[in-house]
Amino acid sequence: ALPLTMASLSEGPMICVFSHVGFQDAADGASHQGLTYLSMVSSIPNVEVYILTSSAEAESLVGQAIDRFAEARKKNKTPVSTVFFLGRENFPSRYMGSDHKYTLGAAQVVFDNTQKHQGALTIVAAGALLHQALEAAYTLESEGRGVIVVNPLIINQPDLTTLRTALRATQNRLLTVEDHQVKNGMGALLAHALLLDGAEFKMRSLGVNGEFGQSAYKALDLYKKHGLDAAAIAQAARKMMQ
């Protein structure tokens, strides 16, 4: 975080890509697992923080960041710094359809069955945990429950339009999921932004509660231990919809 802070202070912006996030470096244990990365960088001025979920998303958004950087330089302006975090394990190449247009600063609704089912809530899940949230949504759908799953993408400047639209469709129930400390994480940043924007909602956040990580064969093992896997997400959603 210090080099990024000094770059911003010195008006020497950067485009950064980091691969050690959350529990994604499972085998190397606590010393290599980034459970505080969002809180470390999200408050730095002139910095946008993204968590990527797929290679298609990464290719599009990193390319847009480079183009935006170059365009600002042509206009003799100082670009913002853009920070991308992505996991290390294998995930689907895309979650959105092949015709989806990815846009910097825009969240994505990746699942929505609320026109068919009642008792709904919004699940916001970042990065690698988007897959677990979708698995939970399929389980909840099989039980006749309505769910919207949102990929927030940009963390420190949330897409409030997309999020508030989702909340209105789900009785203002919000469940956030992240492999990060709950304190000062994505859920905390999102809640603060929504409240400042005048939103009213009932919220629960799943994340790491004041613990370090440990070695594991795969990140999923640690998701299960900390209550972040699909089964835990589905159970938290059921409690919120009671």
Side-chain angles (χ1 to χ4, degrees), residues 120-124 147-150 163 166-167 169-170 173-176:
L121 90 162
T122 295
I123 302 175
V124 178
V147 183
I148 293 178
V149 178
V150 177
L163 293 165
L167 286 174
T170 57
R173 297 187 183 114
L174 174 62
L175 175 63
T176 64

Side-chain angles (χ1 to χ4, degrees), residues 65-168:
I66 294 170
D67 291 341
R68 183 176 66 177
F69 193 106
E71 188 63 26
R73 285 300 193 199
K74 288 179 182 178
K75 296 178 179 179
N76 201 30
K77 296 181 178 179
T78 302
V80 299
S81 287
T82 314
V83 180
F84 295 100
F85 292 101
L86 68 159
R88 296 167 61 88
E89 296 183 2
N90 293 325
F91 297 95
S93 61
R94 63 173 62 246
Y95 286 97
M96 307 299 289
S98 58
D99 59 344
H100 179 76
K101 303 297 183 183
Y102 298 96
T103 305
L104 288 170
Q108 305 159 3
V109 175
V110 296
F111 182 91
D112 182 356
N113 68 353
T114 54
Q115 292 186 346
K116 298 179 181 178
H117 300 288
Q118 300 298 315
L121 90 162
T122 295
I123 302 175
V124 178
L129 284 174
L130 181 63
H131 183 76
Q132 298 300 314
L134 284 170
E135 290 296 322
Y138 300 145
T139 297
L140 294 167
E141 182 177 46
S142 72
E143 300 169 0
R145 302 175 189 269
V147 183
I148 293 178
V149 178
V150 177
N151 172 17
L153 267 181
I154 185 166
I155 303 302
N156 62 339
Q157 299 177 35
D159 176 1
L160 297 177
T161 299
T162 297
L163 293 165
R164 294 196 67 171
T165 299
L167 286 174
R168 284 193 293 269

Side-chain angles (χ1 to χ4, degrees), residues 13 106 194 242:
L194 284 168
Q242 286 179 350

